[in-house]
Amino acid sequence: GAVVSQHPSWVICKSGTSVKIECRSLDFQATTMFWYRQFPKQSLMLMATSNEGSKATYEQGVEKDKFLINHASLTLSTLTVTSAHPEDSSFYICTPLSQGATEAFFGQGTRLTVV
Amino acid sequence: AQTVTQSQPEMSVQEAETVTLSCTYDTSENNYYLFWYKQPPSRQMILVIRQEAYKQQNATENRFSVNFQKAAKSFSLKISDSQLGDTAMYFCAFMKPYNQGGKLIFGQGTELSVKP
């Protein structure tokens, strides 16, 4: 299967600071990137979709100014949580998709804790 | 919009026995993909089995098999000879073809416990 690298795997930050999460597709080109958020004991909820070189499309209820997504290359996408608050504490997962893909591959996830 | 429903929040099974996890979905599409993913405590998503909607034959992967009923929009997962390592959260997921966005929609999840 395809190899996806997501970093960091966990991060603790102070309230009000920003955190950047990186997602790399190591052996394929990700024309599309999905970012999911998962709270404990809950399902994965789609936050946003981005296509390489284009602005991200955010799901209803997701603040685009808080969750900045950059997908400037076919192998790297970043999610920046700006002015983080404790309620942003969650598990974030990236899912890059190559053109014509018939299945998805996942990053290892990032556990964000805002204190 | 597509929805995926898993009606069993928790299930338990004795080691070596068989368990079936339920999943239903709603879509007006004819072409799509269905998946079962396992999420252990590490939270890494692991693909268990996949099914293309245009294939009538049920997918099988070793101890894992599905019962895909397209007309009923049902996609259940059967785990045979359950092992302790099968203990995890299981998610059913629906995916549109790439040329239609390729978005993955997940069910609520079923927490499976395999007891010795």
Short mmCIF file of all heavy atoms in Angstrom, two decimals, chain A residues 3-4 23-25 28-34 74 94-98 101 103-107:
data_model
loop_
_atom_site.label_atom_id
_atom_site.label_comp_id
_atom_site.label_asym_id
_atom_site.label_seq_id
_atom_site.Cartn_x
_atom_site.Cartn_y
_atom_site.Cartn_z
N VAL A 3 2.42 4.87 1.15
CA VAL A 3 3.00 5.29 2.41
C VAL A 3 2.68 6.76 2.67
O VAL A 3 2.95 7.62 1.83
CB VAL A 3 4.53 5.09 2.42
CG1 VAL A 3 5.10 5.50 3.77
CG2 VAL A 3 4.87 3.63 2.13
N VAL A 4 2.09 7.01 3.83
CA VAL A 4 1.73 8.37 4.23
C VAL A 4 2.43 8.67 5.55
O VAL A 4 2.38 7.86 6.48
CB VAL A 4 0.20 8.51 4.40
CG1 VAL A 4 -0.15 9.95 4.81
CG2 VAL A 4 -0.51 8.13 3.13
N CYS A 23 1.51 16.53 6.46
CA CYS A 23 1.13 15.24 5.91
C CYS A 23 1.83 15.07 4.57
O CYS A 23 1.66 15.90 3.67
CB CYS A 23 -0.39 15.17 5.73
SG CYS A 23 -0.98 13.59 5.07
N ARG A 24 2.61 13.99 4.47
CA ARG A 24 3.36 13.74 3.25
C ARG A 24 2.98 12.40 2.64
O ARG A 24 2.88 11.40 3.36
CB ARG A 24 4.87 13.73 3.53
CG ARG A 24 5.42 15.06 3.98
CD ARG A 24 6.92 14.99 4.25
NE ARG A 24 7.43 16.24 4.80
CZ ARG A 24 7.84 17.26 4.07
NH1 ARG A 24 7.83 17.18 2.75
NH2 ARG A 24 8.27 18.37 4.64
N SER A 25 2.78 12.39 1.35
CA SER A 25 2.61 11.13 0.63
C SER A 25 3.99 10.79 0.08
O SER A 25 4.53 11.53 -0.74
CB SER A 25 1.57 11.27 -0.48
OG SER A 25 1.84 12.38 -1.32
N PHE A 28 3.55 8.43 -3.66
CA PHE A 28 2.54 8.72 -4.67
C PHE A 28 2.21 10.21 -4.62
O PHE A 28 2.55 10.91 -3.65
CB PHE A 28 1.27 7.88 -4.46
CG PHE A 28 0.51 8.20 -3.20
CD1 PHE A 28 -0.61 9.02 -3.23
CD2 PHE A 28 0.89 7.65 -1.98
CE1 PHE A 28 -1.32 9.31 -2.07
CE2 PHE A 28 0.19 7.92 -0.82
CZ PHE A 28 -0.92 8.76 -0.86
N GLN A 29 1.57 10.67 -5.66
CA GLN A 29 1.21 12.08 -5.74
C GLN A 29 -0.23 12.28 -5.29
O GLN A 29 -1.15 11.66 -5.85
CB GLN A 29 1.40 12.58 -7.17
CG GLN A 29 2.86 12.58 -7.60
CD GLN A 29 3.06 13.19 -8.98
OE1 GLN A 29 2.20 13.07 -9.85
NE2 GLN A 29 4.18 13.84 -9.19
N ALA A 30 -0.39 13.11 -4.30
CA ALA A 30 -1.71 13.34 -3.72
C ALA A 30 -2.36 14.55 -4.39
O ALA A 30 -2.06 15.69 -4.05
CB ALA A 30 -1.60 13.56 -2.22
N THR A 31 -3.23 14.29 -5.33
CA THR A 31 -3.92 15.39 -5.99
C THR A 31 -5.02 15.96 -5.11
O THR A 31 -5.42 17.10 -5.26
CB THR A 31 -4.52 14.91 -7.32
OG1 THR A 31 -5.25 13.69 -7.09
CG2 THR A 31 -3.42 14.62 -8.34
N THR A 32 -5.50 15.13 -4.20
CA THR A 32 -6.55 15.57 -3.27
C THR A 32 -6.13 15.18 -1.85
O THR A 32 -5.51 14.15 -1.65
CB THR A 32 -7.90 14.89 -3.60
OG1 THR A 32 -8.27 15.23 -4.94
CG2 THR A 32 -8.99 15.34 -2.64
N MET A 33 -6.48 16.03 -0.90
CA MET A 33 -6.17 15.75 0.50
C MET A 33 -7.42 15.99 1.34
O MET A 33 -8.09 17.02 1.20
CB MET A 33 -5.05 16.66 1.01
CG MET A 33 -4.65 16.41 2.44
SD MET A 33 -3.77 14.87 2.67
CE MET A 33 -2.19 15.28 1.92
N PHE A 34 -7.72 15.02 2.17
CA PHE A 34 -8.81 15.18 3.14
C PHE A 34 -8.20 15.29 4.53
O PHE A 34 -7.28 14.56 4.87
CB PHE A 34 -9.75 13.97 3.10
CG PHE A 34 -10.41 13.75 1.76
CD1 PHE A 34 -10.09 12.64 1.00
CD2 PHE A 34 -11.36 14.63 1.29
CE1 PHE A 34 -10.69 12.42 -0.24
CE2 PHE A 34 -11.97 14.42 0.06
CZ PHE A 34 -11.64 13.32 -0.70
N LEU A 74 2.24 18.20 -4.58
CA LEU A 74 1.54 16.92 -4.70
C LEU A 74 1.98 15.92 -3.64
O LEU A 74 1.43 14.81 -3.58
CB LEU A 74 1.80 16.33 -6.10
CG LEU A 74 1.09 17.04 -7.24
CD1 LEU A 74 1.57 16.50 -8.58
CD2 LEU A 74 -0.42 16.89 -7.14
N CYS A 94 -4.87 12.86 8.31
CA CYS A 94 -4.87 13.26 6.90
C CYS A 94 -5.08 12.03 6.03
O CYS A 94 -4.68 10.92 6.40
CB CYS A 94 -3.57 13.98 6.52
SG CYS A 94 -2.09 12.95 6.56
N THR A 95 -5.71 12.25 4.90
CA THR A 95 -5.97 11.18 3.94
C THR A 95 -5.70 11.69 2.54
O THR A 95 -6.56 12.32 1.92
CB THR A 95 -7.44 10.70 4.05
OG1 THR A 95 -7.71 10.34 5.40
CG2 THR A 95 -7.70 9.52 3.14
N PRO A 96 -4.49 11.46 2.05
CA PRO A 96 -4.19 11.89 0.68
C PRO A 96 -4.75 10.90 -0.33
O PRO A 96 -4.77 9.69 -0.09
CB PRO A 96 -2.66 11.90 0.65
CG PRO A 96 -2.23 10.96 1.73
CD PRO A 96 -3.33 10.90 2.74
N LEU A 97 -5.14 11.45 -1.46
CA LEU A 97 -5.74 10.63 -2.50
C LEU A 97 -5.03 10.91 -3.81
O LEU A 97 -4.84 12.07 -4.20
CB LEU A 97 -7.22 11.01 -2.62
CG LEU A 97 -8.24 9.94 -2.96
CD1 LEU A 97 -8.26 8.85 -1.92
CD2 LEU A 97 -9.62 10.55 -3.12
N SER A 98 -4.64 9.86 -4.51
CA SER A 98 -4.01 10.05 -5.82
C SER A 98 -5.09 10.04 -6.89
O SER A 98 -6.20 9.53 -6.67
CB SER A 98 -2.98 8.95 -6.08
OG SER A 98 -3.62 7.69 -6.07
N ALA A 101 -7.73 7.16 -7.60
CA ALA A 101 -7.64 6.23 -6.46
C ALA A 101 -8.96 5.51 -6.22
O ALA A 101 -10.04 6.09 -6.37
CB ALA A 101 -7.23 7.00 -5.20
N GLU A 103 -9.06 3.54 -3.27
CA GLU A 103 -9.07 3.38 -1.82
C GLU A 103 -8.23 4.50 -1.22
O GLU A 103 -7.43 5.12 -1.91
CB GLU A 103 -8.57 2.02 -1.38
CG GLU A 103 -7.10 1.75 -1.58
CD GLU A 103 -6.69 0.40 -1.01
OE1 GLU A 103 -6.38 0.35 0.19
OE2 GLU A 103 -6.67 -0.58 -1.76
N ALA A 104 -8.44 4.70 0.05
CA ALA A 104 -7.77 5.79 0.74
C ALA A 104 -6.67 5.24 1.64
O ALA A 104 -6.74 4.10 2.11
CB ALA A 104 -8.78 6.58 1.57
N PHE A 105 -5.67 6.08 1.88
CA PHE A 105 -4.61 5.75 2.82
C PHE A 105 -4.53 6.86 3.85
O PHE A 105 -4.86 8.01 3.57
CB PHE A 105 -3.28 5.60 2.08
CG PHE A 105 -3.31 4.51 1.04
CD1 PHE A 105 -3.57 4.80 -0.29
CD2 PHE A 105 -3.12 3.19 1.41
CE1 PHE A 105 -3.65 3.79 -1.24
CE2 PHE A 105 -3.18 2.17 0.45
CZ PHE A 105 -3.45 2.48 -0.87
N PHE A 106 -4.12 6.50 5.04
CA PHE A 106 -4.20 7.44 6.15
C PHE A 106 -2.83 7.74 6.76
O PHE A 106 -1.96 6.87 6.82
CB PHE A 106 -5.09 6.86 7.26
CG PHE A 106 -6.50 6.59 6.83
CD1 PHE A 106 -6.84 5.39 6.24
CD2 PHE A 106 -7.48 7.55 7.00
CE1 PHE A 106 -8.14 5.14 5.83
CE2 PHE A 106 -8.78 7.31 6.60
CZ PHE A 106 -9.11 6.11 6.02
N GLY A 107 -2.70 8.98 7.22
CA GLY A 107 -1.56 9.29 8.06
C GLY A 107 -1.75 8.63 9.42
O GLY A 107 -2.83 8.10 9.72
#
